[in-house]
């Protein structure tokens, strides 16, 4: 059973925008904090952004703060990552991940995530 499915990746020019979506089959969806991680070429996976179960708090890494916006729709069971003013260094495989709230960390930690999507490539050309 696939619990998280990412979509919306692709190729974009420097300065452009993309919106990633993550469709969750986890129920109830509000039992989970959600996060986006990414793995740039040749580097370790890193936390990009996160949002708590009721959308009342968010986290952004310093490298994306002011450019990316995370949101969630708890009726459609989807988490989004709106990426604006994209830079070549944003090129990476992006992963959606879920952290069950009863055993969660804040900000989320890679080791503690309970479910992972397969990953989605975002390429920003220069």
């Amino acid at each position: 059973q696939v619990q998280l499915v990412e979509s919306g990746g692709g190729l974009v020019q420097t300065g452009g925008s993309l919106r990633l979506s993550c469709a969750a089959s986890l129920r109830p969806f509000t039992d989970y904090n959600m996060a986006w991680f990414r793995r740039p070429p040749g580097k370790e996976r890193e936390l990009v952004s996160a949002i708590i179960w009721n959308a009342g708090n968010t986290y952004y890494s310093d490298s994306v703060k002011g450019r990316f916006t995370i949101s969630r729709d708890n009726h459609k069971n989807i988490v989004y990552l709106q990426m604006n003013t994209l830079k070549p260094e944003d090129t990476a495989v992006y992963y959606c991940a879920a952290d069950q709230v009863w055993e969660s960390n804040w900000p989320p930690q890679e080791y503690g995530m309970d479910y992972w999507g397969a990953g989605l490539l975002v390429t920003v050309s220069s």
Side-chain angles (χ1 to χ4, degrees):
Q1 175 71 279
V2 177
Q3 304 292 348
L4 301 171
V5 179
E6 304 105 332
S7 62
L11 175 66
V12 67
Q13 293 182 331
T14 297
S17 298
L18 284 174
R19 187 179 72 164
L20 306 185
S21 299
C22 175
S25 61
L26 299 165
R27 299 291 185 275
F29 185 48
T30 49
D31 277 359
Y32 299 89
N33 298 330
M34 300 297 296
W36 290 95
F37 292 78
R38 70 185 182 188
R39 188 189 298 276
K43 298 182 179 180
E44 296 182 351
R45 189 153 57 185
E46 63 184 7
L47 177 64
V48 177
S49 186
I51 186 166
I52 66 168
W53 66 276
N54 65 356
N57 199 17
T58 56
Y59 167 87
Y60 299 95
S61 68
D62 289 342
S63 62
V64 309
K65 197 173 301 179
R67 300 187 297 120
F68 290 12
T69 302
I70 192 169
S71 61
R72 65 190 293 163
D73 186 331
N74 287 339
H75 297 289
K76 296 183 177 180
N77 303 310
I78 299 174
V79 61
Y80 302 97
L81 186 67
Q82 179 67 46
M83 306 186 295
N84 297 327
T85 320
L86 283 161
K87 305 174 180 179
E89 51 262 46
D90 295 317
T91 295
V93 176
Y94 284 72
Y95 299 87
C96 180
D99 195 9
Q100 208 276 336
V101 297
W102 310 119
E103 55 185 0
S104 64
N105 302 291
W106 191 259
Q109 302 296 306
E110 184 174 0
Y111 68 84
M113 307 308 293
D114 297 298
Y115 299 96
W116 290 88
L120 185 68
L121 180 63
V122 171
T123 301
V124 184
S125 64
S126 59

